[in-house]
Amino acid sequence: QVQLAESGGGSVQAGESLTLSCAASGFPFRRYCLGWFRQVGNKEREKVAAHIPFSGPTYFLDSVKGRFAISLDNDKNTLYLQMNSLKPEDTAMYYCTVGDCLRGADYEYWGQGTQVTVSS
């Protein structure tokens, strides 16, 4: 059973940093696509960053390039999103997601989300 648990969200001032964590279990961590999405209210979720197995970080939303970094700890089965120079427009619920992309699957499992609020 795939389980994803995000943590690390919170309320910060613009310009500050946060690191989100996603503790994962129940699937071969090194062989799945791993990603971070965010959602504001009822708006559509947007992909923030993605990590492709055997390729590394392969996607960043244009508005976060140069400020956010995605990394993983294979020993701990944990995915991270390091967010620097946060802006009020980064305020959203952030979700960790995974999928068996090597077999053609899309992101199919989602965590419960962690709220990030950035004030000016």
Side-chain angles (χ1 to χ4, degrees):
Q1 179 181 358
V2 175
Q3 292 187 326
L4 302 171
E6 302 99 331
S7 61
S11 296
V12 297
Q13 297 289 319
E16 294 183 343
S17 299
L18 278 175
T19 299
L20 306 184
S21 300
C22 176
S25 62
F27 65 97
F29 186 76
R30 299 181 190 221
R31 296 185 58 82
Y32 270 42
C33 284
L34 312 171
W36 288 97
F37 280 63
R38 67 187 183 188
Q39 185 176 25
V40 178
N42 291 326
K43 294 183 179 179
E44 187 174 352
R45 289 183 185 180
E46 61 179 357
K47 186 164 65 175
V48 176
H51 180 281
I52 307 300
F54 312 115
S55 297
T58 57
Y59 174 85
F60 287 98
L61 184 67
D62 282 346
S63 62
V64 309
K65 286 180 180 177
R67 299 189 297 121
F68 289 14
I70 188 171
S71 62
L72 53 157
D73 185 330
N74 288 316
D75 292 334
K76 296 181 178 180
N77 281 9
T78 301
L79 178 69
Y80 301 97
L81 184 68
Q82 174 68 44
M83 304 185 295
N84 300 319
S85 302
L86 282 162
K87 303 176 180 181
E89 51 264 43
D90 295 318
T91 295
M93 183 71 78
Y94 284 73
Y95 296 90
C96 169
T97 180
V98 303
D100 192 0
C101 59
L102 294 182
R103 297 189 178 189
D106 203 346
Y107 291 109
E108 51 191 326
Y109 301 99
W110 297 80
Q112 81 287 352
T114 186
Q115 178 68 37
V116 173
T117 303
V118 185
S119 56
S120 57

